[in-house]
Structures are given as structure tokens and as C-alpha cells.
Amino acid sequence: MSFKTMTMSGNALAFALLWSAMSLTISAHAQLKADFTPGKTSDCESLITTFTDKSTGNPISWQWDFGNGFTSNEQRPSAAYTSPGIYKYCLP
């Protein structure tokens, strides 16, 4: 085993200690990417569909907007569409 010694001035030592403390508090987090798929996208009558969350980056909360006036904060919500039309739903 090899040991080396280093001599530092007061300012250099303070800077080295501060840098060490700052480096210990830096942490990286995975970038979140929202992704999902609906169970069904069309039906002749009313449509109830379940959305499957396929997001990456380990999200801890969800805010769905179903485009039908309803929202949810569940990870795997269901939504009802009772009127014919085209709906834009999202997981921002």
C-alpha cells in the first residue's frame, strides 16, 4: 500500500473541504418521460377504457387529463367517454 502526503495552505485546504462537501450532496435523477397506452380507443356505444402507464424515470405522481372534463392522479386510471367524438387525453 502506498501513502502520499500533501501540504496545503489554509485557503487551499478550505476550498478542498468545501468541494468535497459539495460533491457529496450532488445526486443525479433519471429523466422522466411520460408514456401510456389506452386499453380501447373506439366502441359503438359508450367507451370505458383503462390507461396503462408506461412512463420511464420512476415517476412518483400522475396528473391525467382525459379530454372529457375529468382528470385523475392514479397511476392506472379508467375514463368514460359517453358521447361520440374525438378526445385528446394526456399525461403531462
Side-chain angles (χ1 to χ4, degrees):
M1 189 177 278
S2 168
F3 293 94
K4 295 184 179 184
T5 59
M6 179 169 41
T7 306
M8 293 187 182
S9 69
N11 287 341
L13 180 58
F15 178 77
L17 290 174
L18 179 60
W19 180 257
S20 295
M22 287 175 38
S23 347
L24 295 175
T25 60
I26 297 172
S27 60
H29 297 282
Q31 186 172 357
L32 294 175
K33 179 183 177 212
D35 189 16
F36 59 91
T37 55
K40 290 187 343 183
T41 57
S42 65
D43 201 338
C44 292
E45 299 294 322
S46 66
L47 174 68
I48 298 175
T49 189
T50 301
F51 292 86
T52 302
D53 176 29
K54 296 172 43 179
S55 301
T56 57
N58 298 320
I60 57 171
S61 64
W62 296 263
Q63 185 56 52
W64 298 87
D65 183 343
F66 301 117
N68 61 357
F70 293 95
T71 61
S72 174
N73 60 1
E74 296 176 7
Q75 182 177 7
R76 188 183 165 120
S78 294
Y81 298 90
T82 56
S83 301
I86 297 174
Y87 297 89
K88 292 183 179 182
Y89 44 87
C90 67
L91 176 60

